[in-house]
């Protein structure tokens, strides 16, 4: 592909959604992840609130960041979930 990017790499993490993501939600489950471990979900504009609410309902620490910031702020061993 041109640019070396696969389309699914920027796709919303909401089940069944194939829209382009505009933000990333970095989160962790404190019961199983240490302070430094973060998982990342990508979110389109329509599903960002849904995904954030899902995680907040479980009291998971999270932060919402732009995809541009994610590219400069994500450790190389972290994968999108």
């Amino acid at each position: 592909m041109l640019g070396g990017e696969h389309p699914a790499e920027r796709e919303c993490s909401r089940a069944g959604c194939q829209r382009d993501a505009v933000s990333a939600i970095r989160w962790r489950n404190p019961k199983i992840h240490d302070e430094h471990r973060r998982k990342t979900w990508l979110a389109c504009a329509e599903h960002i609130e849904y995904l954030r609410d899902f995680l907040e309902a479980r009291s998971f620490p999270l932060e919402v960041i732009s995809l541009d910031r994610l590219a400069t702020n994500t450790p190389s061993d972290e994968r999108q979930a």
Side-chain angles (χ1 to χ4, degrees), residues 31-61:
K31 291 182 181 178
I32 61 174
H33 300 135
D34 68 28
E35 288 290 321
H36 303 290
R37 175 74 167 112
R38 297 288 183 273
K39 304 231 0 146
T40 302
W41 285 353
L42 300 181
C44 68
E46 182 179 337
H47 291 119
I48 192 163
E49 293 299 321
Y50 174 88
L51 294 170
R52 182 183 6 211
D53 290 348
F54 179 89
L55 296 166
E56 285 179 343
R58 288 150 181 82
S59 299
F60 292 169

Side-chain angles (χ1 to χ4, degrees), residues 1-6 9:
M1 297 198 80
L2 292 176
E5 184 175 301
H6 300 282
E9 289 181 7

Side-chain angles (χ1 to χ4, degrees), residues 16-27:
C17 183
Q18 297 179 338
R19 291 186 182 98
D20 288 339
V22 295
S23 297
I25 303 172
R26 298 187 69 218
W27 62 277

